[in-house]
Amino acid sequence: MEGQLLSWIISLITGGIGGNFAGALFKNISLGPIGNTIAGVIGGGVGGQILGSLLGAGAGSPGILGSIVGSGIGGAILMAIIGFIRKSMASSS
């Protein structure tokens, strides 16, 4: 139980970092610090769960490193998707 809670906390924090990293890397689709963090946290939670379910079936728990990587990438991807959609909607208006 404690391991699961720690994994969730790591996923959410790493997702927020990934979202902010992507926002700094792609300034044209950045959502701002708060938006990047929120999108990253959501993406990190989802990315960590997807990685855990993909790796958890056959290889056991993905571990801390797998959680960090999956959540960071998930946070960055979701932030980029939301930023791209927001930019597309703003330019079409």
Side-chain angles (χ1 to χ4, degrees), residues 15-16 19 31 34-45 74-80 82-83:
L31 305 171
I34 295 174
N36 293 341
T37 301
I38 292 171
V41 165
I42 294 168
I77 289 172
L78 185 62
M79 193 292 305
I82 293 171

Side-chain angles (χ1 to χ4, degrees), residues 8-82:
W8 266 99
I9 291 170
I10 290 171
S11 291
L12 297 178
I13 291 171
T14 309
I17 293 169
N20 279 297
F21 180 76
L25 192 62
F26 305 111
K27 293 188 187 303
N28 60 332
I29 59 171
S30 177
L31 305 171
I34 295 174
N36 293 341
T37 301
I38 292 171
V41 165
I42 294 168
V46 172
Q49 289 301 306
I50 290 172
L51 182 68
S53 67
L54 289 176
L55 294 180
S61 165
I64 298 293
L65 184 60
S67 182
I68 289 171
V69 171
S71 300
I73 292 172
I77 289 172
L78 185 62
M79 193 292 305
I81 290 170
I82 293 171

